[in-house]
Structures are given as C-alpha cells and as structure tokens.
Amino acid sequence: MKRNRFERITLFLIISFTVYGCFSGEQNHISSVDRLSNYEITENKISVNTDHSLVTEIDSDTLNPEFALASESFINREYIELKTPEGIIIGEISKIQIEDEYMVIMDSKISKKVYLFKENGEFVHQVGISGSGPEEYLEPRDVNLKQGQIHITDRTFTVNVYDLNNTHLKRSYLPFFGRSSFIFDDGTTAYSNNKIEESETGYHLMMIKGKTLSNRLFPGTFKGLIKYTPSVISSNPEVHGDSFLYYPSHSNEIYSVHKDSIALKYRIVSSNPIPAEILGSFDRLSNEKYNYTWIFDWPVLETQDKTQIRISRGGVVTIFLDKYNQQVKAFAGIKDDLLYGGIMDFPLYTYGNKFYTPLHVEQMYSMKMKIKHIQDKELLAELREERPEVFRLMENIDEISNPIIMKCDIN
C-alpha cells in the first residue's frame, strides 16, 4: 500500500514537472528594460559607511578548515517535525521564515509550493494555489512572512500576497527577475538582481514601493557578472530589525542595508581575490572562479552571538565568528556522529538566537531499513544507547516523510 502511494506521488510529480516545464509565462516575454519603463525611477542617493572601526575583518589566509563534529558543534538541539495531512509531501526546504509563532516553508525544487506551519511544526495550510491563474503562483523563487502577510515571488516575476487565513490580497509584477527579497516596515521591498540586458546597467539591489523604483544599489561594473543569479538577502528579525545583510555577487564584503543607509559590516581579507580581468569575462569567471577567494552564494546568517559566513577558497569553507570574543572557526564539512547522515549541511536560517537546518530524512530512512535487519539484540541496544536522538526520530520516518528541521545553537 505504501509503495503504491509512493509511486502515485512520484508519477504526479513527474507530470507536474512536465506541465510546468511547458509554461513560459507571459511576463517572461517582456524584456527587463521594457519592464523598467513601467516604473517611476528616482535615484535617491544612499551613503555607504565604510568606517574601518565599524568593520569586522576576517583574514581568510589564516584559516585552517577542519571537519565539524556534529555532536560538538550543534548543541542544545531540538527537532521540529513537519506534520502534514496525507498527500502533502515537502521535498526539499529552500527557505524558512518565522514570525509571531508562525513558520513559512518554501519547497522550490520538488513540490514547488509554499506551506504555513505553526512554529512547532503543526500544519496550517498550503499557501495559495500552484498554477498560472490570477491568484496563483508558478514555481516559487522567494517567500517573505511580514506583519501577518505571506509574499511569494515566482519564476514569472510575479508577486502574490496572502494573509494567514489564505485569502489572496494582491498581485504585482516585478520589472526584473528577483531571486531574493526583504520587506521594510513601510512596505518598501528590496530585491536582489543583476540579470539586466546589456543595454541597461545591472544593479545588485533595487528597492521598490508600488510603482516607484527608488534606489538601484551596487552597480554591476563587470559585465562578466551580468548572467549570474544575484546573491541572497538574509535577515534575522530579532537581530537586524528593519534591515538585512547582503553582499554583491562574487564580492569579499558584506553590508548591513537599511532603507536609507548602508554600512560595510564584514570584510573577508584575502591575498587571492578574484581579479578584475576574471570578473570582466563571463566565460573566464565561470571556469576560474573557484581558484579565488570570494563570499559564496549562500545566506550570511547572524544571531546575537554568532555569524555564519561561507566563502569559496578552493572549496566551500564555512566560517563561524563569535561576535563577543572575535574567535573564528572554519570548517570544510561536517562529520555526522549523531543522526547517521541526517545532518548533511550547515544551517540555512536563523531566528532569534537559534540556527535552523533541514535534516536529510531519506538518508535516515535508509539507515532505519538497515538497522531493521540487524539480528544482534545486544548490538541494537548499544546503538540505541549511543544515539538515542536518531532512534526517536526514525520511529516516525517512512519512505516519503517530510523533512525534519533541527533547531540548535552553534558551539
């Protein structure tokens, strides 16, 4: 029975991919330059504060990345099991947003939907309807939970807004592809973007309110960057308030962006930054970028105590900065001695003073099946005693379980 259900869901997903793959979306036929012509563009000048006394520098040349031991690095662990009705399958969590005891989950790769939960994992509903109708979204690219409203940006450059009761409130169209966004308290929205036609200067950030495009920030000086998806905006509402962290694509600098001011906050110091001649050529940048040091295309996560930054330095290096004593730890990966491979990566979201990372439930289910065939009762007892957390979690994991989110502190 379970196998038949799994096969039906797999067939449904294959059909969904085929249908969505055939849809191009009317918004995609309009150039970015034509889209911009529908907006009133006002160039408000925002000063950038680069006061060195306010900047935390991290010397990448002195880092000696090790492998993090999960049991020692992820401490004070809690697990949020996403409880959904029959037939709702969340494949891979692409983004988490938390506000006032609600949690929004975006799966942009498998189900391609957005879901609303209580912060403890209790299911509320699927947000909106997936499709190309007037109140629907098609393949979400970003989601924001702000003041009780859920803003979904999809691949057709469309933004749909729903309330917590799942009522559709409004629909708008972006003048460009917006990968990542942040909504200020007054409703102004910042979008990361640098995919603009050659005839228009590409900017890494743009701020929009209604039909007014008020700021275009960090101009793309190097044409080699023009085809790159822009960097991720990240914000911890309890730490950053009405601001967010951002770095221009392939940069070594991280900025704190407010609506009317910008300050350089972190700088990765390197003797091997990407040179101008590489940044200026898309082909060379594509082929050679991993030979140089730059901030990796991943959210910069910050709590009251810690900052997580990922950089490329021959490979991906994850840096944790203790904000109080300025101690830096660097990791090349994770050794999971807790959940039999359930911890595949470092956190992707912060809220308050906690880090959040989705677990790899398929790997845990595979281990569950292997353990099921162990006949040695003494060995089983030893395994249970050694790793009680994973055995408790595995009890509720089956072949098509939803992801589980680990909530923790970082040591």
Side-chain angles (χ1 to χ4, degrees), residues 241-267:
D242 199 27
S243 70
F244 60 90
L245 297 180
Y246 186 77
Y247 58 93
S249 182
H250 295 79
S251 170
N252 285 51
E253 297 179 330
I254 299 167
Y255 294 86
S256 176
V257 181
H258 297 254
K259 195 170 76 71
D260 300 312
S261 64
I262 300 174
L264 178 60
K265 189 167 186 178
Y266 297 104
R267 177 187 282 116

Short mmCIF file of all heavy atoms in Angstrom, two decimals, residues 241-267:
data_model
loop_
_atom_site.label_atom_id
_atom_site.label_comp_id
_atom_site.label_asym_id
_atom_site.label_seq_id
_atom_site.Cartn_x
_atom_site.Cartn_y
_atom_site.Cartn_z
N GLY A 241 16.34 43.79 12.95
CA GLY A 241 15.24 44.74 12.91
C GLY A 241 14.84 45.05 11.48
O GLY A 241 14.63 44.15 10.67
N ASP A 242 14.77 46.34 11.13
CA ASP A 242 14.33 46.76 9.81
C ASP A 242 15.53 46.90 8.86
O ASP A 242 15.74 47.95 8.25
CB ASP A 242 13.57 48.08 9.92
CG ASP A 242 12.68 48.37 8.71
OD1 ASP A 242 12.25 47.40 8.06
OD2 ASP A 242 12.44 49.55 8.42
N SER A 243 16.31 45.84 8.75
CA SER A 243 17.48 45.86 7.87
C SER A 243 17.85 44.42 7.51
O SER A 243 17.28 43.47 8.04
CB SER A 243 18.67 46.56 8.55
OG SER A 243 19.16 45.77 9.62
N PHE A 244 18.83 44.28 6.62
CA PHE A 244 19.25 42.94 6.21
C PHE A 244 20.73 42.94 5.86
O PHE A 244 21.36 44.00 5.71
CB PHE A 244 18.43 42.44 5.02
CG PHE A 244 18.51 43.30 3.78
CD1 PHE A 244 19.48 43.07 2.82
CD2 PHE A 244 17.60 44.32 3.56
CE1 PHE A 244 19.57 43.86 1.68
CE2 PHE A 244 17.65 45.11 2.42
CZ PHE A 244 18.66 44.87 1.47
N LEU A 245 21.29 41.74 5.73
CA LEU A 245 22.68 41.57 5.32
C LEU A 245 22.73 41.19 3.84
O LEU A 245 21.91 40.42 3.36
CB LEU A 245 23.36 40.47 6.15
CG LEU A 245 23.49 40.72 7.65
CD1 LEU A 245 24.17 39.55 8.32
CD2 LEU A 245 24.24 42.01 7.93
N TYR A 246 23.74 41.74 3.16
CA TYR A 246 23.84 41.48 1.72
C TYR A 246 25.27 41.67 1.26
O TYR A 246 26.01 42.49 1.80
CB TYR A 246 22.93 42.45 0.94
CG TYR A 246 22.88 42.14 -0.54
CD1 TYR A 246 22.13 41.08 -1.03
CD2 TYR A 246 23.61 42.90 -1.44
CE1 TYR A 246 22.10 40.80 -2.38
CE2 TYR A 246 23.58 42.62 -2.80
CZ TYR A 246 22.82 41.56 -3.26
OH TYR A 246 22.79 41.28 -4.60
N TYR A 247 25.66 40.90 0.25
CA TYR A 247 26.95 41.12 -0.39
C TYR A 247 26.77 41.08 -1.90
O TYR A 247 26.02 40.27 -2.43
CB TYR A 247 27.96 40.04 0.03
CG TYR A 247 27.53 38.63 -0.29
CD1 TYR A 247 27.91 38.02 -1.47
CD2 TYR A 247 26.72 37.92 0.59
CE1 TYR A 247 27.50 36.74 -1.78
CE2 TYR A 247 26.31 36.64 0.29
CZ TYR A 247 26.71 36.05 -0.89
OH TYR A 247 26.29 34.78 -1.19
N PRO A 248 27.41 41.99 -2.63
CA PRO A 248 27.34 41.94 -4.09
C PRO A 248 27.96 40.64 -4.60
O PRO A 248 28.88 40.09 -3.99
CB PRO A 248 28.17 43.16 -4.52
CG PRO A 248 28.17 44.06 -3.34
CD PRO A 248 28.15 43.15 -2.15
N SER A 249 27.47 40.16 -5.72
CA SER A 249 27.92 38.88 -6.26
C SER A 249 29.44 38.84 -6.43
O SER A 249 30.05 39.78 -6.92
CB SER A 249 27.25 38.64 -7.62
OG SER A 249 27.62 37.39 -8.14
N HIS A 250 30.05 37.72 -5.99
CA HIS A 250 31.49 37.49 -6.10
C HIS A 250 32.30 38.58 -5.41
O HIS A 250 33.36 39.00 -5.88
CB HIS A 250 31.91 37.36 -7.57
CG HIS A 250 31.32 36.16 -8.23
ND1 HIS A 250 30.02 36.14 -8.69
CD2 HIS A 250 31.83 34.94 -8.49
CE1 HIS A 250 29.76 34.96 -9.22
NE2 HIS A 250 30.84 34.20 -9.11
N SER A 251 31.80 39.01 -4.27
CA SER A 251 32.45 40.07 -3.51
C SER A 251 33.13 39.49 -2.27
O SER A 251 32.90 38.34 -1.90
CB SER A 251 31.41 41.11 -3.08
OG SER A 251 31.95 42.03 -2.15
N ASN A 252 33.96 40.29 -1.63
CA ASN A 252 34.57 39.92 -0.36
C ASN A 252 34.05 40.79 0.78
O ASN A 252 34.63 40.82 1.85
CB ASN A 252 36.09 40.06 -0.44
CG ASN A 252 36.73 38.94 -1.24
OD1 ASN A 252 36.31 38.66 -2.35
ND2 ASN A 252 37.73 38.29 -0.69
N GLU A 253 32.93 41.51 0.52
CA GLU A 253 32.40 42.45 1.51
C GLU A 253 30.92 42.21 1.76
O GLU A 253 30.15 41.94 0.82
CB GLU A 253 32.62 43.90 1.04
CG GLU A 253 34.09 44.25 0.90
CD GLU A 253 34.31 45.67 0.42
OE1 GLU A 253 33.45 46.18 -0.32
OE2 GLU A 253 35.35 46.27 0.80
N ILE A 254 30.51 42.31 3.02
CA ILE A 254 29.12 42.12 3.44
C ILE A 254 28.62 43.43 4.03
O ILE A 254 29.28 44.02 4.89
CB ILE A 254 29.02 40.99 4.48
CG1 ILE A 254 29.52 39.66 3.88
CG2 ILE A 254 27.58 40.83 4.98
CD1 ILE A 254 29.74 38.58 4.90
N TYR A 255 27.43 43.85 3.59
CA TYR A 255 26.88 45.14 4.00
C TYR A 255 25.62 44.94 4.84
O TYR A 255 24.86 44.00 4.63
CB TYR A 255 26.54 45.98 2.78
CG TYR A 255 27.74 46.39 1.97
CD1 TYR A 255 28.26 45.55 0.99
CD2 TYR A 255 28.35 47.62 2.18
CE1 TYR A 255 29.37 45.92 0.24
CE2 TYR A 255 29.46 48.00 1.44
CZ TYR A 255 29.97 47.14 0.47
OH TYR A 255 31.06 47.51 -0.27
N SER A 256 25.42 45.86 5.77
CA SER A 256 24.16 45.96 6.50
C SER A 256 23.34 47.05 5.81
O SER A 256 23.75 48.21 5.76
CB SER A 256 24.42 46.34 7.96
OG SER A 256 23.21 46.54 8.66
N VAL A 257 22.19 46.66 5.26
CA VAL A 257 21.41 47.56 4.42
C VAL A 257 20.14 47.98 5.14
O VAL A 257 19.28 47.15 5.46
CB VAL A 257 21.06 46.91 3.07
CG1 VAL A 257 20.27 47.89 2.19
CG2 VAL A 257 22.32 46.46 2.35
N HIS A 258 20.00 49.27 5.41
CA HIS A 258 18.76 49.88 5.88
C HIS A 258 18.12 50.61 4.71
O HIS A 258 18.73 50.77 3.66
CB HIS A 258 19.04 50.84 7.04
CG HIS A 258 19.60 50.19 8.25
ND1 HIS A 258 18.87 49.96 9.40
CD2 HIS A 258 20.84 49.69 8.49
CE1 HIS A 258 19.63 49.35 10.30
NE2 HIS A 258 20.82 49.18 9.77
N LYS A 259 16.89 51.06 4.87
CA LYS A 259 16.19 51.70 3.75
C LYS A 259 16.90 52.97 3.30
O LYS A 259 16.91 53.29 2.11
CB LYS A 259 14.74 52.01 4.12
CG LYS A 259 13.86 52.34 2.90
CD LYS A 259 12.41 52.39 3.25
CE LYS A 259 12.04 53.66 3.99
NZ LYS A 259 12.08 54.83 3.07
N ASP A 260 17.50 53.69 4.24
CA ASP A 260 18.11 54.98 3.90
C ASP A 260 19.61 55.04 4.16
O ASP A 260 20.21 56.10 4.06
CB ASP A 260 17.41 56.11 4.67
CG ASP A 260 15.93 56.20 4.33
OD1 ASP A 260 15.61 56.19 3.13
OD2 ASP A 260 15.12 56.24 5.26
N SER A 261 20.21 53.91 4.50
CA SER A 261 21.65 53.93 4.76
C SER A 261 22.23 52.52 4.59
O SER A 261 21.52 51.52 4.73
CB SER A 261 21.95 54.43 6.18
OG SER A 261 21.42 53.55 7.14
N ILE A 262 23.52 52.48 4.28
CA ILE A 262 24.22 51.21 4.11
C ILE A 262 25.55 51.31 4.85
O ILE A 262 26.23 52.34 4.79
CB ILE A 262 24.48 50.91 2.62
CG1 ILE A 262 23.17 50.82 1.85
CG2 ILE A 262 25.26 49.62 2.45
CD1 ILE A 262 23.34 50.68 0.36
N ALA A 263 25.91 50.25 5.54
CA ALA A 263 27.20 50.24 6.23
C ALA A 263 27.92 48.93 5.93
O ALA A 263 27.33 47.86 5.96
CB ALA A 263 26.99 50.38 7.74
N LEU A 264 29.21 49.04 5.61
CA LEU A 264 30.04 47.86 5.45
C LEU A 264 30.22 47.22 6.83
O LEU A 264 30.64 47.89 7.78
CB LEU A 264 31.39 48.24 4.85
CG LEU A 264 32.39 47.11 4.65
CD1 LEU A 264 31.83 46.05 3.70
CD2 LEU A 264 33.71 47.66 4.11
N LYS A 265 29.89 45.92 6.93
CA LYS A 265 29.90 45.27 8.24
C LYS A 265 31.02 44.23 8.37
O LYS A 265 31.67 44.13 9.40
CB LYS A 265 28.55 44.62 8.51
CG LYS A 265 28.41 44.09 9.93
CD LYS A 265 26.97 43.75 10.26
CE LYS A 265 26.83 43.38 11.73
NZ LYS A 265 25.44 43.08 12.11
N TYR A 266 31.20 43.40 7.34
CA TYR A 266 32.24 42.37 7.36
C TYR A 266 33.05 42.44 6.08
O TYR A 266 32.52 42.72 5.00
CB TYR A 266 31.63 40.97 7.47
CG TYR A 266 30.84 40.73 8.74
CD1 TYR A 266 29.45 40.71 8.72
CD2 TYR A 266 31.49 40.50 9.95
CE1 TYR A 266 28.72 40.49 9.88
CE2 TYR A 266 30.77 40.27 11.12
CZ TYR A 266 29.38 40.27 11.08
OH TYR A 266 28.66 40.04 12.22
N ARG A 267 34.35 42.18 6.20
CA ARG A 267 35.21 42.10 5.02
C ARG A 267 36.07 40.85 5.13
O ARG A 267 36.70 40.61 6.17
CB ARG A 267 36.09 43.34 4.91
CG ARG A 267 37.06 43.26 3.73
CD ARG A 267 38.06 44.41 3.71
NE ARG A 267 37.43 45.64 3.20
CZ ARG A 267 37.27 46.73 3.92
NH1 ARG A 267 37.65 46.74 5.19
NH2 ARG A 267 36.72 47.81 3.41
#
